[in-house]
Amino acid sequence: MKRFTSLLLFFYAINFFYTQSWERNLSLEKWNFNQEGKSEILPAKVPGTVHTDLYYNKKIEDPFYSDNEQEIQWIENENWIYTTQFEVSKKELNQDHIQLQFLGLDTYAQVFLNGKKILAANNFFRTWEVDAKKHLNVGKNDLKIIFNSAVKKGKEEMAKLPYKLPENERVFVRKPQYQFGWDWGPRLVTVGIWKPILLKFWNNAEIISVKHQQKINKENAEILFNILVNADKTGVYNLTINKNKKEFQLKKGVNSLDFPVAITNPQLWWTHDLGTPNLYHFEIALAKGSTVLNSKNIKIGLRTIELVQEKDNAGKSFYFKLNGKKLYAKGSNTIPLHSFLPTVTGKEYEKLVGEALFANMNMIRVWGGGIYEDDALYDFCDEKGVLVWQDFPFACAMYPGDKDFLENVKKEVVDQVTRLQNHPSLGIWCGNNENDEGWHNWGWQKQLGYTKQDSTKIWKDYVKLFREIIPKTLDSVSAQKPIYWQSSPSNGWGRKQAYTEGDVHYWGVWWGMEPFEKYKEKVGRFVSEYGFQSMPQASTFQAFTQNLSFEDAGVRNHQKHKTGYETIRTYMERDFPVPEKFEDFIYMSQLVQASGMKIAIEAHRTSKPYNMGSLYWQLNDVWPVTSWSSVDYFGNRKAAHFAIKKAFEPTLFTVDFKDNAYKISLNRDDEWVEAGQLTVVLKDFNGKILKNWTKKSERKSELEKMILQINCPELNGFDVNSSYLELLWQGDKEIRQNYFFVAPKFLNLTKANVQIKKINRHSIAVTTDKLVKGLYLENLYGNLSDNYFDLGAGETKIITAPHEIEIKNMKSLNDFIQPKK
Ligand code: BMA
């Protein structure tokens, strides 16, 4: 972050000398804060939050530790004042235009410059710009921001309505909804300056925004830039885009300039699995004569994207076409990276996208209870070829429909769509998360005692917001028509249509307590959520408690689902041994989650093209917690993450047991295979080969031709509890997978002698004398290339890591299973 800041400073300095516009980052000044009505003034970190500031000043304990969360709820009801003093030079004050730009204020902020109120902000997601010149002095200037309690504001608004909207005051407040508490996150309703404050100087004219449209043909493409320029003086100006230069006669005020740029031999932007995510870099400079006034850099990816919904026998398709090619979406849902967003650095976004890539994902869904993400997230997705499904930040509730609220949302949409629309990774915008499903399926009308009139009004407000205001504003701001989907999911998981059209959040597993096997039946056209919780590794628990026990207040507080631990236990009992010790229970909970995710993803992928997308819930965490994540708060990959990676591989085996036979087939994203051989070996746990089957294909052939069927009588005489199938594909690639006939708790596993040999600092070789299942290697220094894997007797597996490997502990399912006599 530091390096980033100095780079920024360097950039500002360059701008200062060569252009007529520059910015100063006021976040770098010395800031103080205090609680309104209290005299103690403390240093503050900007950007930041009041919670982190109180913590850095030792006024509160670590909000994430144990159940400290409960102790610090008072903060949300107070008002907080942030102040700074900054110098302005004579030269600076001589500039024609000086503006204060607030890139993110959380949320109800009254801003005073030298005692004059210059802004009343009321939306976390908006950016604010104020003419400051007339209020500034040469020398010292005072900036003061009073943050009013968002909770109190929300409650005031709530009291104005004759009915109660689900959920609580959060729906009245344009602020990340997860901060009010979620089933994986604490309630930490912050206030503060969450993004930098800039002091901008410009003369003559400045670029306000850059949008673009694309026309792509085989041999050439055209990018039609649309650039908004605010000119202060009429006259002739010129715009340069890379090497292309054009003159424009500008009028005073806002000018909309079109600037086509031709591209020969266009290289398209693809997701990483379908091709290369090619990007074109453009520098756009506005000049008067030879003086550059203002410049902007953007990266553009040439691509088309469609959401195909065609009627078919079952209902309606739901899939994306990227550059005319069908895309099977493999991915996850992301939530914000932290409860305190300003602590998140670019590096962490890089890691998040890195984990998506590690697990073979080509899409992430930025979920509606969070935020419009940081530029860094979309930049990495552009670069790495990952599509983004972006929800507008509304979730699991109904929202008000008064004029002020709607107007506020409209402006928010303008700001955010303007900021994000050039990213090739941004594939689809979605109105909200589960509001529609909630309204039609969660019984709010009854619970909250609505009259018919109330219901009509609330639904009308929904329609207005999500079917009119948001899509219309989105369209009007976008240079190219974007894809808009009104709500995710389109139908609740209890309804038939959920599986025949649109997208579905299938929560029969977990919420409905249905067995994992149900994943095979409940396959929708595009499953945009499904998931199962697991506990994070012991070291993550140790970050917030010293007492690893279910009775511990911290352990309880770091599980936000009412029956979370019981649900994990119930599923564990079905298929796995249930260990006594807390740390072993953690390990087993991860295997349970991994097995569920494997079943789900395989069910989805084998249903292709009926199903064309599988986004599990959820990739990451906002704090250390037991949740549905596959990577914990500290970045540790859970067992599920490795299982997901394998299930999302471009080629995988699937085994279908039907009509007394095992059908073994290859599943590939491209629907055919090169010449190769399929081998199935029946082995016992000591590595003895009991039987084998092969199928050869001489030529490139369709997948259907590569199915190997083993009829049950062929397995007669073998013990299914003590043997397994080793599946091997040798073709363009070599792929190996194991298939077990029974659930882990029925396997006759025995103690194995696992040996680890260090090859060098970054790699080890693992061997075993007997089949070892779910082998967990606890590395002192972080994630490994594989973990929680099975290893057959006599096999060797090489494990690598970019950092040091030092295995301090091992666990496997073998440790927990008593062999049947
Ligand atoms: C989904 C999400 C979240 C929630 C998750 C787990 O439906 O949209 O609201 O955290 O379920 O319950």
Side-chain angles (χ1 to χ4, degrees):
M1 190 62 183
K2 246 208 195 119
R3 205 159 77 214
F4 182 66
T5 319
S6 46
L7 254 174
L8 265 183
L9 280 176
F10 179 68
F11 180 71
Y12 293 138
I14 296 241
N15 264 359
F16 185 85
F17 290 117
Y18 295 105
T19 69
Q20 290 230 333
S21 77
W22 72 94
E23 300 165 349
R24 272 176 55 190
N25 185 352
L26 293 188
S27 319
L28 303 174
E29 305 290 330
K30 195 173 162 301
W31 285 82
N32 290 316
F33 81 110
N34 66 291
Q35 186 179 337
E36 196 181 56
K38 295 259 164 83
S39 56
E40 190 178 21
I41 292 177
L42 298 162
K45 205 169 165 196
V46 171
T49 69
V50 68
H51 288 77
T52 39
D53 283 332
L54 287 166
Y55 174 59
Y56 300 145
N57 283 287
K58 302 200 162 55
K59 295 293 163 191
I60 58 168
E61 301 283 324
D62 177 356
F64 287 175
Y65 198 80
S66 189
D67 58 353
N68 288 349
E69 176 200 351
Q70 311 306 335
E71 305 297 313
I72 55 173
Q73 287 305 312
W74 60 272
I75 300 170
E76 65 175 37
N77 293 312
E78 300 300 325
N79 299 336
W80 300 91
I81 303 173
Y82 279 72
T83 55
T84 191
Q85 264 193 354
F86 60 97
E87 298 269 344
V88 170
S89 68
K90 201 165 165 200
K91 184 178 170 217
E92 285 175 323
L93 202 60
N94 276 342
Q95 304 306 310
D96 292 348
H97 295 274
I98 311 176
Q99 280 161 330
L100 262 175
Q101 193 180 30
F102 303 86
L103 297 181
L105 293 172
D106 179 8
T107 287
Y108 294 96
Q110 301 176 61
V111 183
F112 299 85
L113 180 57
N114 293 325
K116 257 243 144 38
K117 184 163 173 177
I118 57 164
L119 172 70
N122 62 352
N123 190 329
F124 177 99
F125 304 112
R126 278 172 67 182
T127 49
W128 313 86
E129 213 166 79
V130 182
D131 282 329
K133 187 173 157 109
K134 55 178 180 283
H135 305 295
L136 288 170
N137 310 316
V138 172
K140 284 208 178 337
N141 290 273
D142 291 311
L143 186 61
K144 176 166 107 175
I145 308 180
I146 304 176
F147 289 98
N148 293 105
S149 154
V151 167
K152 280 195 176 155
K153 278 273 179 192
K155 285 184 178 159
E156 274 165 37
E157 290 303 311
M158 196 158 100
K160 289 184 193 161
L161 281 185
Y163 43 76
K164 183 178 181 300
L165 285 176
E167 282 255 313
N168 55 33
E169 69 277 5
R170 73 172 167 86
V171 303
F172 299 91
V173 182
R174 291 311 296 143
K175 183 172 168 54
Q177 303 285 282
Y178 78 104
Q179 292 184 349
F180 293 78
W182 220 264
D183 56 4
W184 37 257
R187 179 174 172 114
L188 291 165
V189 189
T190 60
V191 301
I193 302 160
W194 83 282
K195 291 249 165 174
I197 300 177
L198 305 175
L199 190 61
K200 293 196 344 179
F201 303 89
W202 62 275
N203 298 303
N204 293 313
E206 65 153 1
I207 298 173
I208 311 176
S209 69
V210 178
K211 303 177 190 178
H212 82 281
Q213 259 173 294
Q214 317 179 341
K215 276 186 216 126
I216 310 170
N217 302 312
K218 254 216 165 91
E219 284 85 35
N220 53 52
E222 186 188 87
I223 299 183
L224 179 61
F225 285 97
N226 176 261
I227 297 155
L228 289 191
V229 172
N230 190 7
D232 178 27
K233 299 181 181 73
T234 50
V236 179
Y237 292 75
N238 58 65
L239 260 182
T240 317
I241 300 186
N242 291 356
K243 290 193 177 103
N244 312 286
K245 194 168 175 178
K246 260 181 117 176
E247 273 190 354
F248 290 93
Q249 171 74 39
L250 300 189
K251 60 177 188 344
K252 194 174 156 61
V254 176
N255 298 261
S256 167
L257 314 178
D258 286 335
F259 196 137
V261 172
I263 291 173
T264 47
N265 185 23
Q267 304 296 306
L268 300 182
W269 184 89
W270 292 97
T271 49
H272 65 91
D273 54 332
L274 293 183
T276 307
N278 296 297
L279 291 174
Y280 288 86
H281 296 226
F282 295 97
E283 198 197 343
I284 300 163
L286 174 70
K288 178 112 185 107
S290 59
T291 312
V292 176
L293 302 174
N294 200 201
S295 68
K296 290 220 181 316
N297 285 300
I298 72 164
K299 287 182 201 164
I300 286 175
L302 299 172
R303 57 113 177 104
T304 59
I305 187 158
E306 296 158 72
L307 173 59
V308 183
Q309 294 189 79
E310 275 162 0
K311 281 215 164 84
D312 55 24
N313 289 340
K316 229 194 270 173
S317 69
F318 190 104
Y319 66 90
F320 293 95
K321 253 192 186 173
L322 184 65
N323 302 322
K325 213 167 168 177
K326 283 185 186 178
L327 174 116
Y328 185 90
K330 299 189 269 191
S332 62
N333 287 265
T334 64
I335 59 173
L337 271 67
H338 208 285
S339 286
F340 306 123
L341 288 164
T343 62
V344 181
T345 63
K347 191 97 208 121
E348 285 164 77
Y349 283 105
E350 188 177 9
K351 274 197 193 156
L352 185 82
V353 177
E355 287 304 343
L357 291 169
F358 174 82
N360 292 306
M361 299 182 203
N362 59 15
M363 186 181 275
I364 54 171
R365 171 171 172 245
V366 178
W367 164 79
I371 61 172
Y372 305 89
E373 271 298 349
D374 195 274
D375 290 339
L377 179 79
Y378 309 96
D379 285 342
F380 287 121
C381 288
D382 291 347
E383 232 170 77
K384 302 291 182 191
V386 176
L387 275 171
V388 177
W389 169 312
Q390 177 70 48
D391 282 0
F392 283 96
F394 301 86
C396 306
M398 296 305 275
Y399 286 79
D402 58 275
K403 239 176 87 202
D404 288 350
F405 185 84
L406 297 179
E407 198 51 36
N408 199 359
V409 172
K410 203 167 160 176
K411 292 196 171 129
E412 156 192 333
V413 174
V414 171
D415 285 354
Q416 294 295 341
V417 175
T418 304
R419 176 172 72 97
L420 298 175
Q421 66 175 284
N422 290 316
H423 289 280
S425 57
L426 214 162
I428 174 172
W429 290 91
C430 171
N432 63 69
N433 173 76
E434 297 182 350
N435 296 5
D436 188 320
E437 156 158 16
W439 181 253
H440 292 106
N441 303 287
W442 296 355
W444 286 332
Q445 288 88 334
K446 234 182 169 174
Q447 278 162 34
L448 298 164
Y450 294 150
T451 63
K452 214 169 166 195
Q453 249 177 340
D454 296 340
S455 284
T456 312
K457 169 78 172 80
I458 295 168
W459 183 246
K460 236 175 103 185
D461 287 345
Y462 175 95
V463 169
K464 191 156 209 171
L465 185 54
F466 297 108
R467 296 188 186 169
E468 289 168 33
I469 305 267
I470 291 181
K472 273 192 191 149
T473 315
L474 172 67
D475 275 351
S476 72
V477 187
S478 307
Q480 197 132 338
K481 192 165 170 62
I483 300 173
Y484 178 74
W485 187 242
Q486 179 225 141
S487 182
S488 181
S490 41
N491 286 289
W493 59 268
R495 296 185 185 259
K496 216 174 131 213
Q497 266 154 306
Y499 307 96
T500 59
E501 61 178 59
D503 70 324
V504 57
H505 296 181
Y506 172 61
W507 282 106
V509 168
W510 183 265
W511 283 97
M513 299 302 284
E514 292 172 352
F516 285 144
E517 294 302 308
K518 269 275 173 196
Y519 279 132
K520 296 182 182 170
E521 283 167 42
K522 301 288 186 175
V523 177
R525 311 307 296 252
F526 193 103
V527 192
S528 40
E529 275 187 23
Y530 57 93
F532 195 84
Q533 277 198 356
S534 74
M535 295 155 78
Q537 64 188 49
S539 63
T540 299
F541 274 96
Q542 278 149 358
F544 62 80
T545 181
Q546 282 165 359
N547 176 22
L548 295 190
S549 140
F550 288 109
E551 273 70 60
D552 178 66
V555 170
R556 284 210 305 271
N557 193 48
H558 288 245
Q559 163 62 279
K560 296 296 187 188
H561 187 273
K562 273 202 190 86
T563 55
Y565 288 130
E566 289 87 328
T567 304
I568 293 173
R569 182 177 289 271
T570 304
Y571 278 78
M572 198 184 290
E573 279 164 357
R574 290 178 189 168
D575 295 324
F576 287 81
V578 182
E580 295 276 299
K581 254 183 75 191
F582 190 86
E583 279 174 86
D584 297 336
F585 195 90
I586 292 180
Y587 161 77
M588 206 59 76
S589 79
Q590 292 205 15
L591 292 191
V592 177
Q593 181 194 28
S595 83
M597 294 305 91
K598 174 177 153 72
I599 295 171
I601 294 171
E602 289 183 1
H604 298 157
R605 288 188 67 190
T606 45
S607 307
K608 196 180 74 176
Y610 185 85
N611 167 277
M612 283 300 282
S614 181
L615 312 180
Y616 72 91
W617 182 266
Q618 75 206 56
L619 179 55
N620 59 313
D621 280 325
V622 299
W623 73 326
V625 65
T626 294
S627 82
W628 296 263
S629 70
S630 64
V631 176
D632 79 14
Y633 168 75
F634 293 108
N636 301 307
R637 294 171 186 153
K638 295 176 171 177
H641 205 62
F642 295 100
I644 290 160
K645 172 190 171 61
K646 289 167 194 162
F648 277 154
E649 284 292 350
T651 310
L652 88 153
F653 279 106
T654 51
V655 182
D656 197 17
F657 181 64
K658 227 196 237 153
D659 307 327
N660 231 17
Y662 294 93
K663 266 194 181 170
I664 295 143
S665 52
L666 272 179
N667 189 296
R668 291 189 35 128
D669 286 340
D670 44 12
E671 317 204 341
W672 42 265
V673 283
E674 298 291 341
Q677 178 165 302
L678 183 66
T679 310
V680 178
V681 184
L682 180 71
K683 271 190 178 173
D684 73 11
F685 296 166
N686 294 314
K688 191 169 157 206
I689 297 176
L690 306 172
K691 201 166 180 171
N692 60 43
W693 298 260
T694 54
K695 186 156 185 173
K696 232 185 176 133
S697 144
E698 300 298 343
R699 292 176 284 108
K700 178 168 157 177
S701 53
E702 282 162 19
L703 277 179
E704 280 94 274
K705 302 209 178 99
M706 284 308 295
I707 295 174
L708 201 149
Q709 181 162 326
I710 301 175
N711 298 316
C712 278
E714 296 181 63
L715 298 170
N716 278 351
F718 299 111
D719 177 9
V720 288
N721 302 71
S722 307
S723 59
Y724 67 106
L725 297 176
E726 191 182 84
L727 318 170
L728 182 68
W729 166 252
Q730 289 159 300
D732 47 342
K733 255 186 164 191
E734 199 176 291
I735 290 146
R736 200 186 281 265
Q737 244 171 270
N738 292 336
Y739 176 80
F740 292 85
F741 300 102
V742 294
K745 72 173 180 184
F746 298 119
L747 293 173
N748 286 331
L749 296 167
T750 49
K751 196 107 197 111
N753 181 14
V754 176
Q755 296 287 336
I756 293 175
K757 229 173 76 200
K758 199 154 184 159
I759 300 173
N760 55 41
R761 286 179 62 199
H762 304 295
S763 55
I764 53 170
V766 190
T767 53
T768 173
D769 62 339
K770 296 206 182 67
L771 173 93
V772 61
K773 203 166 161 44
L775 179 63
Y776 168 50
L777 305 173
E778 189 182 347
N779 183 23
L780 271 179
Y781 304 103
N783 288 324
L784 300 173
S785 56
D786 200 359
N787 217 337
Y788 303 89
F789 52 84
D790 300 346
L791 194 63
E795 284 172 18
T796 303
K797 191 173 174 94
I798 308 292
I799 301 291
T800 58
H803 39 253
E804 187 100 7
I805 304 183
E806 182 78 54
I807 304 301
K808 76 165 191 202
N809 207 353
M810 273 192 264
K811 273 189 217 297
S812 74
L813 258 173
N814 303 45
D815 305 337
F816 301 97
I817 293 177
Q818 301 300 321
K820 317 270 163 318
K821 295 270 153 50

